Amino acid sequence: MDVETKERLWNREYLKVMSCNFLLFFAFYLLTPLLPLYLDAQFGADKDTIGLVLSGYVVATLLVRPFSGFVVDCFDRKKVLVLCFFFFFICFTGYVGAGTLLMFGIVRTLHGLPFGATTVANSTVAIDVTPSSRRSEGIGYYGLSNNLAMATAPSAGIYLYNRTDNFELLFWVSLVLAMIGFLSSTQVKLPRRALVKGKPAVSLDHFFLGRAWLLAVNICFFGLCWGVMSNYVAIYGRDRLGITDGTGIFFLLLSVGLMVSRLIGTRSLRAGKLTRNGAIGVIISTLGYGLFALCLGEWSYYLSALLIGLGNGQMYPAMLNMFVNMGRNDQRGTANSSILISWDLGMGLGILAGGFVAEYVGFAVAFDLVALMQAGGAVLFLVATRRFFEKRKLR
């Protein structure tokens, strides 16, 4: 009976960690598609300035994540998680009080520090509470919580804004949700583990999983595409197609694709078919981004959302498992931070470059470039990354 309990994936602690993760991402991404509109309406910011302000949090996230992997691998993970979640929750108060564009940019940038640290800590805790025999499956389902939040939160934010026309209300809603997530994190119970000893004081593998460098380059391509799409889809839909209230539907279809794809792909992950899932995912995502860039009408706008969701729902969990399988057991935090660093680097470049390209050339060209980047990332995965992983994986 004890063995059966240990091997049960959907245990109480696993569900708690998934709930924390959902609330973390939901609170953060509730604001994502509306911040460009907010900066435009509230401060009169132009597109390249919006790109600079919004990319600030990614820079902060990139700075903190390598150290986050080291900290969660070497110290008490529960304490690290609770402390990081607390600062993540507190930072939402800054949005309410930011009265100038400069102050808002500072708050947004600083918020990236606890966001980056908390995502690493929470995902590493999720691996700790997942039975080893069901780890690939567990990682796949765990990722569904943040994918679902990243897809549904923007829809909820847009709905609330359309009903109330009140940005400040959205900031307060995010604050409350983050507080609930913080309180939930304090209730997680972790199995005891020995702290890492005998490692060199300074070592690159404390901060980044160097043996997975090609996977990191590849995921950076996909993060760039997601960064442009998720941050500028509302303005793109409004300016290119005249869609003023359809962004919520776009993200709803995106979330449906993510959920369906995650649920279907979990069985393959359990069977160890990581590169197969990844290949299917990058191909479907490429079709989605290509259709989005072509912009043939409203039908292509919405169909592309579904395809991008289906593709990313297959690709991301497969590549996360690939990172984990290329690290030692005492490098779980480093593996988690490495894929997140790579994804965030891509997102940051996408947000920044997308704003500049849109300002001087237009959103149509920006999303044409996104489609090309996605296609390039897909070719890299199919031609080189799959073989790279098979040669270097440890389990």
Side-chain angles (χ1 to χ4, degrees):
M1 184 69 177
D2 184 52
V3 173
E4 182 180 340
T5 302
K6 287 182 179 179
E7 296 304 309
R8 186 161 56 92
L9 174 60
W10 298 99
N11 59 72
R12 183 178 299 177
E13 305 312 316
Y14 182 77
L15 290 172
K16 288 178 186 176
V17 175
M18 282 192 71
S19 299
C20 291
N21 195 53
F22 178 82
L23 290 166
L24 170 77
F25 278 88
F26 196 95
F28 197 78
Y29 282 93
L30 186 75
L31 308 175
T32 297
L34 292 165
L35 288 181
L37 300 177
Y38 174 73
L39 295 175
D40 180 28
Q42 186 74 11
F43 303 112
D46 52 28
K47 294 183 179 68
D48 52 351
T49 302
I50 290 173
L52 278 171
V53 172
L54 295 184
S55 61
Y57 91 89
V58 182
V59 174
T61 300
L62 284 169
L63 290 175
V64 77
R65 272 190 168 148
F67 302 99
S68 303
F70 167 72
V71 170
V72 297
D73 278 339
C74 298
F75 298 96
D76 187 296
R77 284 176 183 161
K78 168 71 176 291
K79 292 179 180 177
V80 173
L81 172 61
V82 170
L83 186 63
C84 292
F85 219 129
F86 174 76
F87 285 109
F88 171 75
F89 139 61
I90 287 296
C91 278
F92 279 103
T93 60
Y95 294 117
V96 180
T100 65
L101 182 61
L102 176 61
M103 183 59 67
F104 189 94
I106 292 172
V107 170
R108 184 66 175 173
T109 299
L110 290 177
H111 205 177
L113 296 174
F115 176 73
T118 308
T119 50
V120 172
N122 204 71
S123 58
T124 307
V125 166
I127 297 175
D128 283 347
V129 298
T130 303
S132 57
S133 63
R134 305 187 68 177
R135 184 158 295 144
S136 293
E137 181 185 6
I139 290 173
Y141 280 126
Y142 170 80
L144 180 62
S145 60
N146 57 276
N147 281 158
L148 179 60
M150 290 169 68
T152 57
S155 301
I158 291 166
Y159 174 78
L160 285 173
Y161 176 68
N162 288 337
R163 292 294 298 269
T164 65
D165 195 28
N166 188 336
F167 283 110
E168 188 170 322
L169 174 64
L170 291 172
F171 297 147
W172 281 108
V173 170
S174 291
L175 174 68
V176 171
L177 291 172
M179 182 180 67
I180 296 172
F182 160 67
L183 294 174
S184 300
S185 71
T186 64
Q187 302 303 308
V188 176
K189 297 179 181 178
L190 295 181
R192 288 187 176 274
R193 70 182 184 94
L195 297 181
V196 177
K197 297 179 180 179
K199 278 193 170 186
V202 178
S203 176
L204 179 62
D205 70 353
H206 281 159
F207 308 108
F208 191 83
L209 195 63
R211 63 181 291 106
W213 66 268
L214 187 57
L215 273 75
V217 172
N218 214 158
I219 203 73
C220 189
F221 275 76
F222 304 135
L224 184 151
C225 300
W226 185 275
V228 179
M229 183 273 296
S230 62
N231 280 272
Y232 299 115
V233 63
I235 295 180
Y236 178 72
R238 183 191 67 187
D239 293 352
R240 188 88 188 272
L241 291 172
I243 300 174
T244 57
D245 58 354
T247 311
I249 299 174
F250 182 94
F251 279 104
L252 177 62
L253 291 171
L254 187 70
S255 68
V256 169
L258 287 166
M259 287 187 291
V260 170
S261 189
R262 285 272 189 174
L263 293 172
I264 293 174
T266 301
R267 183 176 298 178
S268 296
L269 289 178
R270 190 191 311 171
K273 299 177 181 179
L274 306 183
T275 56
R276 174 182 175 275
N277 275 32
I280 293 172
V282 300
I283 291 171
I284 295 175
S285 291
T286 302
L287 293 175
Y289 281 108
L291 188 60
F292 188 82
L294 288 173
C295 200
L296 302 174
E298 286 194 25
W299 68 270
S300 67
Y301 178 79
Y302 293 123
L303 179 57
S304 67
L306 183 63
L307 290 174
I308 293 170
L310 288 169
N312 275 269
Q314 287 276 347
M315 176 272 297
Y316 191 88
M319 295 196 74
L320 174 55
N321 273 285
M322 290 165 71
F323 268 90
V324 172
N325 286 351
M326 290 185 72
R328 303 187 304 269
N329 287 334
D330 64 339
Q331 290 180 308
R332 292 174 183 173
T334 304
N336 272 295
S337 67
S338 296
I339 187 172
L340 291 170
I341 289 167
S342 307
W343 180 266
D344 283 342
L345 177 60
M347 277 194 65
L349 292 173
I351 296 170
L352 188 61
F356 276 99
V357 173
E359 175 69 20
Y360 297 107
V361 188
F363 278 114
V365 175
F367 281 104
D368 286 342
L369 293 175
V370 164
L372 289 174
M373 288 296 294
Q374 174 66 32
V379 171
L380 178 63
F381 183 87
L382 295 171
V383 173
T385 304
R386 290 191 297 177
R387 295 176 183 175
F388 178 87
F389 167 71
E390 293 295 343
K391 289 180 180 179
R392 296 196 171 204
K393 65 180 180 180
L394 299 180
R395 52 185 175 277

